[in-house]
Amino acid sequence: MRNLPRAELPTDEPLILASGSPRRAQLLTAAGYDYSVQVASDEAECGMCSRETAPEMVARYAYRKAADIATKVDTGLIIAADTVASCLGQILGKPHDQDHAETTLRLLSGRKHDVYTGVCVWSVKHEMCVVDVVRTELKMQKLTEQMLEDYLDSMLWEGKAGAFGYQDGNDWLQVIGDGSVSNVVGLPMERLSELLENFLEVAETVTTGSSDPPG
């Protein structure tokens, strides 16, 4: 992706990406950020609440990922994110296996759906963080059996919320309106830039160890 926005960092701390996602790393690199990677523990994504909405879930998971890394470093400006798709009231995370991917893609086929990414920026030095959620609406064209089979065989669905990757170049996926494409890939770079630019004004004091985001 080209022409991604880049903001000046609000603190003098080293930037840390709390994610092992190669797509999020590619977005930060393409925007020109200098950063290191520290992957949050699996426990940061445990404990989905039965009544939780997709925006609430990604906000909480992004916060918990950042909080996890904050306990492991002495200093750092941490960026954490979590992405899911949502269709017909169902939250669609990463597929467990090919059968799960097929079920997910059949649900999305021919339908509009939403992709939500929760983003958390956390300053260890200042003990402050901000959490926000970005929504992008998409439409997937009706998949033929051959299209479905080819994509499942490609294994490109692995590790991707909703069992698809917009960046894979599929012409059967379309962003509706002026929605953020980088959000669909896994990190809304436009909103991240705004959060960094306004961090010291909008961030709230946090207590390390809390499982829920402030506010």
Side-chain angles (χ1 to χ4, degrees), residues 51-113:
R51 298 180 181 177
E52 204 168 31
T53 66
E56 290 169 341
M57 187 184 80
V58 294
R60 185 167 61 85
Y61 280 1
Y63 174 85
R64 291 182 62 173
K65 290 177 183 180
D68 180 71
I69 299 303
T71 65
K72 301 174 181 177
V73 298
D74 295 325
T75 186
L77 187 66
I78 303 165
I79 295 174
D82 192 77
T83 303
V84 298
S86 178
C87 183
L88 300 180
Q90 295 189 43
I91 296 176
L92 308 172
K94 300 172 186 176
H96 308 307
D97 52 33
Q98 187 161 315
D99 288 342
H100 187 195
E102 179 178 353
T103 299
T104 299
L105 289 170
R106 287 189 183 280
L107 174 66
L108 294 172
S109 177
R111 293 189 172 98
K112 292 181 180 180
H113 59 280

Side-chain angles (χ1 to χ4, degrees), residues 110-170:
R111 293 189 172 98
K112 292 181 180 180
H113 59 280
D114 298 310
V115 170
Y116 294 95
T117 298
V119 180
C120 180
V121 180
W122 184 307
S123 167
V124 176
K125 176 181 178 180
H126 294 280
E127 296 184 326
M128 299 170 65
C129 86
V130 60
V131 182
D132 200 12
V133 176
V134 176
R135 167 185 171 268
T136 301
E137 187 178 15
L138 295 96
K139 173 69 180 292
M140 183 181 289
Q141 75 177 69
K142 188 70 174 178
L143 301 178
T144 65
E145 290 300 314
Q146 189 62 55
M147 292 164 65
L148 180 61
E149 181 180 343
D150 289 346
Y151 192 66
L152 290 171
D153 288 344
S154 75
M155 305 300 288
L156 290 173
W157 48 267
E158 284 190 307
K160 295 173 182 174
F164 66 82
Y166 186 87
Q167 68 277 13
D168 295 336
N170 300 306

